Amino acid sequence: MFHLSPSILAADTANLAAAVRAVESGGADSLHIDIMDGHYVANYAFSPKTVTDLRRVTPLPLHVHLEVSNPDAVLPLFAAADMIIVQEDTAPDLVATLAVIRRLGCTAGVAVNRNRPVEALLPVLPLVDLLLVMAVEPGFGGQPFDARVLDKVRWLQQQRTLLNAAFAIGVDGGITPTTIVSALAAGADFFAVGSAAFAGDIVNAVRQLREVKARLC
Ligand code: DX5
Ligand code: ZN
């Protein structure tokens, strides 16, 4: 399994449809749409309308990453997405939140920040499709990759085997053709990639990220 999800936070939003077509041509598996509320993070990004608009221009699965203070209050607005990812520190009853996401007909992901213990998520591992490890502070693209989060990735890989579970192990933030190598080695198989996907020649940038995996096999 290898899943590449370009994060449109880094795209030229004045030419979003063209950027999306380019990542499609490069071999993207889905689109990562960060939703930011100016409160959980000191930035704003995208809205439910972005999701419904993108539906019309791409067959790619749409993954919504909620970087907002109160995701429970807005989940139904994102029912058009294929996957909804919540930050674990924003959902007081994570099990209930995941159940709502499923009732909306979406697959469910949970993201964990760098300074938070991933071990606390053990009870929800059988309930998620994706466990997304943040390798940067949420809020902005283009930050450097924090290699210390690879310990979380290794732990998740061990638990996945022990539990015989099927969730994807993702990394979001600072992924480049260089850092993706160590993330793959640690056991990650899902990557949200902003700046390194939408830089320069987008088709080639996405292809290059895929080729890293192909070369390692
Ligand atoms: C950060 C977002 C990421 C961001 C990654 O809060 O969740 O998805 O777009 O961007 P890069 O790949 O540039 O670190
Ligand atoms: Zn994200």
Side-chain angles (χ1 to χ4, degrees), residues 7 9 32-34 36 65 67 85 87 132 134 172-173 192:
S7 170
L9 189 64
H32 184 91
I33 307 169
D34 291 303
M36 301 185 184
H65 181 188
E67 295 171 303
I85 305 160
Q87 292 286 130
L132 189 64
M134 298 303 296
D172 184 7

Side-chain angles (χ1 to χ4, degrees), residues 5 21 43 49 58 116 121 154 157 173 176:
S5 191
R21 276 184 207 110
N43 197 4
K49 187 168 185 297
T58 180
R116 299 273 297 179
L121 298 176
R154 287 185 202 100
Q157 200 196 25
T176 66

Side-chain angles (χ1 to χ4, degrees), residues 41-158:
V41 294
N43 197 4
Y44 292 93
F46 304 116
S47 74
K49 187 168 185 297
T50 316
V51 180
T52 48
D53 284 353
L54 283 175
R55 266 281 177 242
R56 288 186 281 105
V57 302
T58 180
L60 289 177
L62 304 176
H63 295 175
V64 162
H65 181 188
L66 293 177
E67 295 171 303
V68 304
S69 290
N70 188 3
D72 292 320
V74 295
L75 289 175
L77 298 177
F78 294 98
D82 294 280
M83 182 188 283
I84 301 179
I85 305 160
V86 292
Q87 292 286 130
E88 57 86 20
D89 55 347
T90 62
D93 184 347
L94 204 44
V95 173
T97 302
L98 293 170
V100 172
I101 293 173
R102 292 211 185 279
R103 274 204 296 278
L104 292 171
C106 305
T107 55
V110 168
V112 60
N113 279 340
R114 296 191 295 174
N115 54 355
R116 299 273 297 179
V118 70
E119 294 80 5
L121 298 176
L122 187 58
V124 299
L125 294 184
L127 307 177
V128 299
D129 298 287
L130 168 68
L131 208 303
L132 189 64
V133 175
M134 298 303 296
V136 298
E137 282 309 298
F140 295 90
Q143 304 176 72
F145 181 79
D146 183 349
R148 288 174 301 178
V149 304
L150 295 177
D151 283 343
K152 292 193 209 302
V153 173
R154 287 185 202 100
W155 182 85
L156 285 166
Q157 200 196 25
Q158 285 163 6

